[in-house]
Amino acid sequence: MHFISQELEDYIEQHSQVEPKLLAALNKETYQKILLPRMLSGHFQGRVLSMLSKLISPINILEIGTYTGYSALCLCEGMQENGILHTIDIKEELIDFQRKHFDKSPWGKQIVQHLGEAIDIIPTLSIKFDLVFIDADKENYLNYFELVVPKMNKGGVILSDNVLWSGKVLEPLQPNDSSTKVLLEYNELLNNDTRVETVLLPIRDGLTVTRVL
């Protein structure tokens, strides 16, 4: 869903940092070879993730939902030299694809892939995180948030993608639409939870920036 005109989106992209060649190649290969390529963060959102990571300068990053690895590489751009990014996904068939592109980057040895359900893996990570990116199954957003908040350093940032859900958050809720129901609850939680402060940005399909107090 386009929240602004395609012409304005094109102008914004043209006046933002150029997409790095490695990510442009990953973008192209994803569209050529992988199902549902629109799940990719893409040029503009990728540059937003990169900029936020550079401002935060994280040591430890957690990504929930790897897909083909585009957003992980964007987040790595702001990671400190001794940093580690942990990324979790359930799709075994994408592991080698992700690793190929990770190893072409300067951060290949600093990216740890986890295969399985994030709700099972997150509790096993005995790490405090400075930056978390949630971009996986919407039905578990509430669970992911509750799992990661105790693992955040003070001042750490949680980014949540797709929180506008193609505008469905404004439409009458359908009885069988569990994803929208959870996202409505999630957006309310982030706005009212006293442990955090939140701003919801109308970037792409909605990106929430949540700072842990």
Side-chain angles (χ1 to χ4, degrees), residues 91-160:
K91 293 184 172 63
E92 186 175 1
E93 66 273 18
L94 292 179
I95 290 289
D96 291 341
F97 186 96
Q98 297 160 6
R99 178 47 61 186
K100 178 179 72 172
H101 290 279
F102 290 161
D103 287 344
K104 290 180 181 178
S105 79
W107 310 285
K109 294 181 180 179
Q110 296 168 266
I111 300 175
V112 180
Q113 294 164 284
H114 300 270
L115 178 63
E117 297 285 349
I119 56 173
D120 298 325
I121 293 170
I122 294 169
T124 70
L125 302 175
S126 55
I127 307 165
K128 286 286 190 177
F129 292 101
D130 306 298
L131 177 59
V132 172
F133 183 42
I134 302 175
D135 186 18
D137 56 311
K138 311 313 162 193
E139 289 84 355
N140 270 310
Y141 266 38
L142 291 164
N143 295 326
Y144 296 148
F145 180 76
E146 294 297 344
L147 286 171
V148 300
V149 167
K151 293 182 176 291
M152 299 296 297
N153 284 316
K154 184 177 180 180
V157 172
I158 302 168
L159 305 174
S160 309

Side-chain angles (χ1 to χ4, degrees), residues 9-184:
E9 284 194 4
D10 292 342
Y11 182 87
I12 290 167
E13 188 170 299
Q14 291 161 9
H15 291 80
S16 298
Q17 184 189 38
V18 174
E19 184 179 38
K21 289 182 179 179
L22 173 65
L23 291 175
L26 172 52
N27 193 333
K28 182 178 180 180
E29 190 171 354
T30 298
Y31 272 84
Q32 289 174 335
K33 299 179 179 179
I34 308 298
L35 292 174
L36 303 174
R38 66 185 296 272
M39 290 173 58
L40 196 80
S41 290
H43 174 193
F44 175 61
Q45 185 172 346
R47 293 304 85 206
V48 172
L49 295 177
S50 170
M51 181 66 75
L52 289 171
S53 183
K54 288 170 182 174
L55 291 170
I56 297 163
S57 189
I59 296 176
N60 292 316
I61 304 173
L62 173 63
E63 179 184 53
I64 305 172
T66 315
Y67 190 47
T68 56
Y70 190 100
S71 54
L73 291 172
C74 293
L75 295 170
C76 281
E77 291 179 31
M79 185 169 62
Q80 294 188 31
E81 286 186 10
N82 61 334
I84 297 290
L85 181 141
H86 293 263
T87 185
I88 305 170
D89 206 281
I90 60 171
K91 293 184 172 63
E92 186 175 1
E93 66 273 18
L94 292 179
I95 290 289
D96 291 341
F97 186 96
Q98 297 160 6
R99 178 47 61 186
K100 178 179 72 172
H101 290 279
F102 290 161
D103 287 344
K104 290 180 181 178
S105 79
W107 310 285
K109 294 181 180 179
Q110 296 168 266
I111 300 175
V112 180
Q113 294 164 284
H114 300 270
L115 178 63
E117 297 285 349
I119 56 173
D120 298 325
I121 293 170
I122 294 169
T124 70
L125 302 175
S126 55
I127 307 165
K128 286 286 190 177
F129 292 101
D130 306 298
L131 177 59
V132 172
F133 183 42
I134 302 175
D135 186 18
D137 56 311
K138 311 313 162 193
E139 289 84 355
N140 270 310
Y141 266 38
L142 291 164
N143 295 326
Y144 296 148
F145 180 76
E146 294 297 344
L147 286 171
V148 300
V149 167
K151 293 182 176 291
M152 299 296 297
N153 284 316
K154 184 177 180 180
V157 172
I158 302 168
L159 305 174
S160 309
D161 201 14
N162 304 118
V163 291
L164 294 179
W165 210 223
S166 298
K168 290 182 181 180
V169 292
L170 292 180
E171 298 172 1
L173 182 62
Q174 301 302 310
N176 61 343
D177 189 352
S178 58
S179 294
T180 302
K181 180 177 183 295
V182 170
L183 284 172
L184 288 167

